[in-house]
């Protein structure tokens, strides 16, 4: 999280002492290094230190040919990097390829009968399914034929998916990719309304969904969300003409929601007509969009991050090879949801481009108990394991000794999505990894396509809590608010940026190119007329510190995005959802420390005049958030307060309420328009928390700084 006061904008109205990020030292204990095991080094894809030189700045951008050469091109490119229209970088211009061909067809000759996917259903008595490369080829061709001939989709059209973790999801993605159709998968846990909003934004005429799936032992009715999605899209001016419904158990409908005649169709029934159909992969320009992935930002509307075909696929293949150390004979398990970028890049596209076996699991990590992941790993012979700190924290809490009971051996493990506490890292390394694995902490974002910061697993030692240096061909830098470089080893934090373009970077925000430039490039652009990439650093929106050894420690978002269990939730989205409740006048979302999820959300709301607080209103707010965004966004607490602390210009001071929620310092409140309200709110909130035993532990210095800085993006 950014360090300092509430940033330049509000600093203008709040002339209290403003401390820039760079002036604040971030203190933490330097952690010891861990060396990768010799057995890992002996077999690693990247074991020759010369690889660092090959990707040195003097070889940029041509160094990325090494990644592109991992793919099969129909036509090779003539320009590696075209910078003629900054910051809309174009990679491998002139090249043509098909992503589905690269992930399937080209592996058939050598690996037809090898599992491409191993799908583990949540119910433990249900059979695990292997989808061989041959099966995947057949299923993707059939569904591509259906999409084209029944769905009427053409190259360049967008199709929205709202699919849970079943093989039908990668099948649907690769079928679109085969046709050059742009897929846009919305995380299954998001609400129907959130799905509809994204379908409208991408102008999708087709929605692909599933009737039901298992979560925590329960068969969840998912199709019901499609009806809400279609409704919401219509409100926003987009007609979803067809809803294609995969069935969790083909032939058996697991939803209560009626099928709408002429709009909703069961995919398993339609597929009868497309048995064994073959669809030639469409040869796409490298720069053609492959998919959209929506993510939250500072302002209300989610951003559709548009990823390319050639650059993206090259980047995920290259990083999967060198950073995930994937060999074709590995059994690789990335325990994420394909509804997030991690799943797109490191369950589907990267691993399949390399022709390996990728494991998918339907359900929650702790179902029916905290031994589940380790049983799966043992039974399937998983040797590469990839997950997020929130899952690690949960598994440690519920089953600290569980991994020891199972006979599995990981050569490599990954953590991604949030900062990992050194203590949690050590449990992951020692207990989950049995001290035998190389661990990488990979820092990156939806916008980036693939990893930005990580250690090369055989060549660079691990340091708990630090992601490591920039990955191959990525040259990060930390800037202070004025664009001065914050030096490695200075102990000071600032905004981490990437100085150069890379093949995996998203191309634009779907339909909003101005926002793309403004959010990611305007802040540190040196010259808007310049066509030299050196003038266009990419602003990541994360605070970071760089140690003397060059390793980065990522502190978290600087833009009012709350990272709950690895999911980005925009404060504005939460607040807009809350004020759809008629009784609510104003709303503010703040983070609280949470031992398992990293951060949780507390919502503060004030009521319209004349109304009094009630449990019912609280429930309405919770429900509204669930309907607009999804269950994952449900706040931990909702506080109905008499008024919000505000600046004289009327802005809600989120850092003040964030301080109250966390029992931390609220900072200087003398410049508020209504300073007296602070004590009222503090009393209300803290006495209730104390009564319920919900007092957080004392915050670390870094956490205190995060809270003090919250709301600075306003
Ligand atoms: C891949 C993914 C991106 C945000 C990012 C940062 C946080 C991701 C991290 C990390 C510390 C890591 N983040 N990886 N923080 N260490 N290894 O997570 O994408 O969902 O877009 O989230 O997550 O704050 O800016 P996304």
């Amino acid at each position: 999280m950014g360090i300092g006061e509430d940033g330049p904008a509000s600093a203008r109205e709040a002339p209290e002492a403003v401390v820039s990020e760079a002036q604040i030292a971030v203190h933490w204990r330097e952690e010891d290094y861990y060396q990768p095991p010799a057995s890992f080094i002996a077999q690693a894809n990247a074991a020759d230190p010369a690889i660092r030189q090959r990707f040195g700045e003097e070889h940029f951008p041509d160094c990325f040919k090494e990644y592109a050469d991992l793919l099969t091109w129909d036509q090779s490119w003539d320009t590696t990097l075209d910078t003629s229209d900054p910051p809309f970088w174009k990679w491998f211009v002139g090249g043509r390829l098909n992503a589905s061909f690269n992930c399937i067809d080209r592996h058939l000759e050598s690996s037809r009968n090898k599992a491409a996917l191993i799908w583990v259903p949540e119910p433990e008595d249900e059979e695990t399914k292997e989808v061989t490369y041959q099966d995947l080829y057949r299923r993707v061709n059939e569904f591509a034929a259906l999409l084209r001939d029944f769905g009427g989709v053409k190259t360049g059209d967008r199709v929205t998916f709202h699919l849970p973790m079943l093989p039908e999801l990668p099948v649907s993605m690769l079928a679109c990719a085969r046709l050059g159709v742009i897929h846009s998968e919305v995380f299954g846990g998001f609400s129907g309304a959130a799905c509809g909003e994204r379908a409208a934004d991408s102008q999708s005429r087709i929605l692909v969904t599933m009737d039901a799936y298992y979560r925590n032992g329960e068969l969840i009715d998912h199709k019901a969300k499609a009806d809400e999605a279609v409704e919401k899209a219509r409100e926003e001016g987009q007609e979803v003409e067809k809803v294609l419904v995969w069935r969790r158990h083909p032939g058996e409908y697991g939803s209560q929601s009626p099928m709408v005649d002429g709009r909703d169709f069961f995919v398993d029934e339609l597929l009868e007509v497309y048995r064994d159909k073959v669809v030639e992969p469409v040869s796409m320009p490298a720069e053609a969009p492959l998919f959209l992935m929506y993510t939250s930002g500072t302002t209300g509307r989610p951003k559709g991050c548009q990823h390319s075909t050639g650059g993206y696929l090259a980047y995920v293949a290259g990083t999967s090879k060198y950073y995930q150390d994937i060999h074709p004979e590995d059994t690789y398990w990335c325990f994420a949801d394909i509804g997030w970028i991690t799943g797109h890049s490191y369950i589907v596209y990267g691993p399949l481009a390399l022709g390996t076996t990728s494991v998918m699991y339907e359900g929650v990590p702790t179902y029916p108990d905290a031994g589940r992941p380790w049983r799966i790993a043992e039974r399937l012979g998983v040797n590469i394991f990839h997950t997020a700190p929130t899952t690690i924290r949960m598994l440690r809490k519920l089953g600290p000794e569980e991994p020891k009971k199972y006979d599995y051996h990981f050569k490599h493990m990954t953590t991604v999505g949030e900062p990992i506490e050194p203590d949690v890292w050590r449990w992951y390394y020692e207990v989950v990894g049995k001290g035998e694995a190389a661990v990488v902490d990979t820092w990156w974002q939806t916008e980036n396509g693939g990893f930005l910061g990580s250690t090369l697993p055989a060549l660079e030692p691990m340091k708990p809590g630090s992601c490591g240096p920039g990955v191959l061909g990525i040259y990060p830098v930390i800037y202070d608010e004025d664009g001065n470089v914050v030096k490695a080893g200075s102990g000071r934090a600032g905004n981490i940026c990437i100085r150069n373009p890379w093949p995996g970077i998203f191309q634009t925000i779907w339909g909003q190119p101005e926002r793309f430039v403004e959010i990611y490039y305007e802040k540190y652009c040196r010259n808007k007329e310049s066509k030299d990439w050196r003038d266009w650093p990419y602003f990541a929106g994360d605070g970071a510190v760089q140690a003397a050894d060059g390793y980065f420690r990522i502190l978290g978002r600087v833009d009012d995005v709350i990272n709950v269990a690895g999911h980005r939730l925009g404060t504005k989205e939460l607040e807009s959802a809350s004020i759809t409740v008629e009784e609510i006048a104003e709303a503010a979302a703040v983070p609280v420390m949470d031992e398992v999820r990293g951060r949780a959300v507390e919502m503060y709301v004030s009521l319209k005049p004349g109304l009094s607080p009630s449990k019912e209103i609280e429930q309405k707010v919770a429900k509204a958030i669930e309907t607009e965004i999804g269950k994952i966004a449900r706040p931990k607490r909702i506080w109905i307060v008499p008024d919000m602390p505000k600046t004289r210009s009327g802005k809600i001071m989120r850092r003040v309420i964030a301080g109250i929620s966390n029992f931390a310092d609220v900072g200087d409140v003398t410049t508020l328009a209504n300073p007296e309200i602070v004590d009222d709110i503090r009393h209300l909130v803290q006495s209730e928390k104390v009564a319920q035993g919900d007092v957080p532990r004392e915050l670390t210095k870094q956490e205190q700084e995060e809270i003090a800085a919250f709301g600075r993006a306003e």
Side-chain angles (χ1 to χ4, degrees):
M1 204 37 75
I3 312 302
E5 269 291 346
D6 34 71
S10 46
R12 279 195 292 276
E13 291 112 31
E16 70 244 39
V18 174
V19 185
S20 90
E21 296 190 28
Q23 290 165 323
I24 295 192
V26 176
H27 304 283
W28 80 86
R29 194 169 71 83
E30 264 301 319
E31 296 288 332
D32 296 332
Y33 291 117
Y34 288 70
Q35 298 299 332
S39 54
F40 178 81
I41 299 172
Q43 59 80 64
N45 283 329
D48 176 1
I51 197 168
R52 271 275 165 215
Q53 280 80 55
R54 294 208 298 280
F55 282 84
E57 206 166 331
E58 63 284 12
H59 300 301
F60 179 85
D62 297 324
C63 53
F64 283 114
K65 179 175 186 300
E66 186 163 337
Y67 284 3
D69 283 346
L70 296 171
L71 305 180
T72 304
W73 295 76
D74 304 330
Q75 186 181 309
S76 65
W77 61 96
D78 33 59
T79 309
T80 305
L81 172 63
D82 172 351
T83 64
S84 60
D85 183 21
F88 300 91
W89 317 117
K90 295 183 186 64
W91 283 88
F92 309 122
V93 183
R96 298 187 83 96
L97 77 168
N98 181 279
S100 159
F101 177 88
N102 271 280
C103 291
I104 310 169
D105 306 40
R106 66 174 182 149
H107 305 311
L108 291 176
E109 205 178 297
S110 64
S111 315
R112 194 175 293 280
N113 297 319
K114 174 164 122 181
L117 302 166
I118 300 180
W119 175 70
V120 182
E122 193 192 69
E124 221 164 356
D125 53 5
E126 197 177 324
E127 210 183 316
T128 290
K129 284 202 185 105
E130 278 199 16
V131 181
T132 63
Y133 275 95
Q134 178 65 35
D135 298 333
L136 189 61
Y137 174 79
R138 182 183 52 77
R139 297 195 60 184
V140 165
N141 273 280
E142 291 176 353
F143 192 59
L146 188 160
L147 277 175
R148 183 189 62 191
D149 301 344
F150 180 77
V153 295
K154 296 181 304 302
T155 299
D157 286 354
R158 279 77 53 208
V159 172
T160 295
F161 304 160
H162 199 197
L163 289 169
M165 282 294 281
L166 273 91
E168 284 70 18
L169 173 48
V171 165
S172 304
M173 290 163 69
L174 292 162
C176 282
R178 202 162 187 86
L179 299 167
V181 164
I182 304 167
H183 58 76
S184 172
E185 154 73 359
V186 177
F187 170 58
F190 272 139
S191 67
C195 173
E197 189 186 6
R198 288 157 176 76
D201 189 79
S202 61
Q203 303 114 343
S204 297
R205 291 182 299 109
I206 309 260
L207 172 64
V208 182
T209 187
M210 184 163 275
D211 61 339
Y213 62 99
Y214 281 97
R215 217 172 153 74
N216 234 341
E218 202 190 319
L219 188 66
I220 309 268
D221 185 335
H222 188 61
K223 159 66 170 60
K225 289 184 176 176
D227 302 315
E228 291 159 31
V230 172
E231 196 45 50
K232 179 76 175 183
R234 185 174 296 143
E235 275 169 32
E236 302 205 354
Q238 178 64 32
E239 200 55 38
V240 174
E241 293 158 15
K242 290 193 172 97
V243 179
L244 305 180
V245 186
W246 289 99
R247 284 190 279 194
R248 170 71 172 68
H249 303 97
E252 231 176 89
Y253 189 41
S255 164
Q256 298 299 315
S257 150
M259 294 289 279
V260 175
D261 209 28
R263 187 198 75 184
D264 301 352
F265 303 90
F266 291 128
V267 176
D268 56 300
E269 287 179 5
L270 295 176
L271 275 176
E272 294 302 326
V273 182
Y274 300 94
R275 287 282 163 243
D276 297 323
K277 282 270 183 307
V278 171
V279 174
E280 277 310 304
V282 179
S283 187
M284 298 300 291
E287 274 301 289
L290 179 61
F291 67 87
L292 305 180
M293 167 68 57
Y294 282 84
T295 191
S296 299
T298 305
T299 56
R301 200 167 143 209
K303 306 173 283 191
C305 298
Q306 176 185 318
H307 285 282
S308 73
T309 305
Y312 170 81
L313 200 62
Y315 197 69
V316 298
T319 49
S320 293
K321 179 167 180 180
Y322 293 140
Y323 285 90
Q324 294 296 290
D325 198 54
I326 291 177
H327 297 61
E329 56 280 11
D330 288 324
T331 299
Y332 165 86
W333 184 14
C334 171
F335 199 159
D337 195 295
I338 298 175
W340 304 109
I341 191 69
T342 294
H344 273 50
S345 300
Y346 297 112
I347 297 179
V348 181
Y349 285 114
L352 298 185
L354 296 180
T356 198
T357 297
S358 183
V359 176
M360 294 176 63
Y361 171 58
E362 178 179 27
V364 301
T366 50
Y367 183 82
D369 57 69
R372 185 68 190 276
W374 323 127
R375 281 200 289 286
I376 294 172
E378 178 185 82
R379 179 164 58 88
L380 302 181
V382 171
N383 66 339
I384 307 181
F385 185 71
H386 183 155
T387 196
T390 189
T391 306
I392 305 170
R393 288 189 290 256
M394 195 196 304
L395 290 166
R396 178 171 81 151
K397 187 170 170 198
L398 299 178
E401 304 299 325
E402 283 299 304
K404 295 182 183 151
K405 301 183 190 159
Y406 298 94
D407 182 22
Y408 63 81
H409 296 277
F410 296 150
K411 68 166 183 176
H412 179 291
M413 302 195 305
T414 303
T415 166
V416 60
E418 304 154 72
I420 184 165
E421 300 76 7
D423 192 39
V424 176
W425 189 98
R426 278 187 284 270
W427 182 77
Y428 193 44
Y429 174 81
E430 278 155 18
V431 182
V432 176
K434 308 176 181 186
E436 302 167 336
V439 177
V440 292
D441 178 347
T442 57
W443 166 70
W444 61 297
Q445 316 167 302
T446 305
E447 293 87 337
N448 309 147
F451 306 145
L452 293 182
S454 170
T455 49
L456 264 169
L459 295 170
E460 292 155 353
M462 314 159 226
K463 190 162 77 171
S466 297
C467 67
V471 300
L472 297 168
I474 298 287
Y475 321 121
V477 61
I478 297 178
Y479 289 127
D480 68 13
E481 283 300 321
D482 306 319
N484 305 308
V485 173
V486 178
K487 292 213 182 69
S490 65
R492 288 180 297 136
N495 295 314
I496 186 163
C497 296
I498 308 299
R499 288 195 289 111
N500 62 304
W502 66 98
I505 182 71
F506 69 140
Q507 300 174 294
T508 188
I509 300 175
W510 180 260
Q512 302 182 73
E514 349 50 60
R515 260 184 98 198
F516 170 74
V517 180
E518 184 194 315
I519 298 174
Y520 301 98
Y521 293 97
E522 210 138 77
K523 190 168 173 86
Y524 291 118
C525 179
R526 277 183 272 280
N527 171 9
K528 287 190 135 180
E529 301 309 314
S530 170
K531 300 206 183 302
D532 184 341
W533 58 261
R534 290 167 193 82
D535 290 322
W536 293 88
Y538 166 82
F539 171 69
D542 277 322
V545 198
Q546 189 177 26
D549 59 12
Y551 281 30
F552 292 94
R553 181 166 159 124
I554 306 298
L555 304 172
R557 306 287 314 176
V558 296
D559 62 357
D560 289 5
V561 167
I562 307 178
N563 190 334
V564 179
H567 306 319
R568 280 160 71 171
L569 299 175
T571 48
K572 281 285 182 335
E573 283 169 89
L574 292 156
E575 291 159 10
S576 317
S578 304
I579 57 176
T580 62
V581 174
E582 55 178 341
E583 290 89 347
I584 304 302
E586 285 185 306
V590 296
V592 284
M593 303 301 151
D594 186 276
E595 294 312 316
V596 173
R597 291 177 294 174
R599 302 289 175 271
V601 172
E602 289 195 3
M603 221 43 236
Y604 282 72
V605 292
S606 66
L607 304 180
K608 287 181 182 156
L611 299 175
S612 16
S614 70
K615 271 271 165 273
E616 197 196 331
I617 299 178
E618 276 176 35
Q619 275 154 14
K620 276 188 172 178
V621 173
K623 184 79 201 140
I625 291 173
E626 202 178 311
T627 308
E628 295 293 318
I629 310 175
K631 276 209 174 81
I632 48 159
R634 211 172 7 198
K636 190 170 180 181
R637 305 295 296 256
I638 294 163
W639 303 108
I640 301 180
V641 293
D643 196 4
M644 300 282 183
K646 291 198 186 127
T647 62
R648 291 194 190 110
S649 64
K651 276 190 183 154
I652 300 175
M653 290 298 278
R654 288 186 181 72
R655 69 163 164 83
V656 173
I657 45 184
I660 293 173
S661 270
N662 288 283
F663 288 75
D665 187 11
V666 296
D668 182 7
V669 296
T670 55
T671 57
L672 292 185
N674 53 350
E676 68 291 344
I677 198 74
V678 177
D679 279 335
D680 293 351
I681 300 177
R682 195 199 326 260
H683 180 72
L684 176 98
V685 169
Q686 295 186 347
S687 58
E688 176 72 20
K689 285 194 176 209
V690 170
Q692 299 195 357
D694 182 19
V695 181
R697 58 167 168 70
E698 201 177 319
L699 305 192
T700 63
K701 177 126 182 12
Q702 187 184 313
E703 288 165 345
Q704 287 168 24
E705 283 161 356
E706 170 186 330
I707 295 304
F710 194 73
R712 65 187 283 280
E714 258 298 281

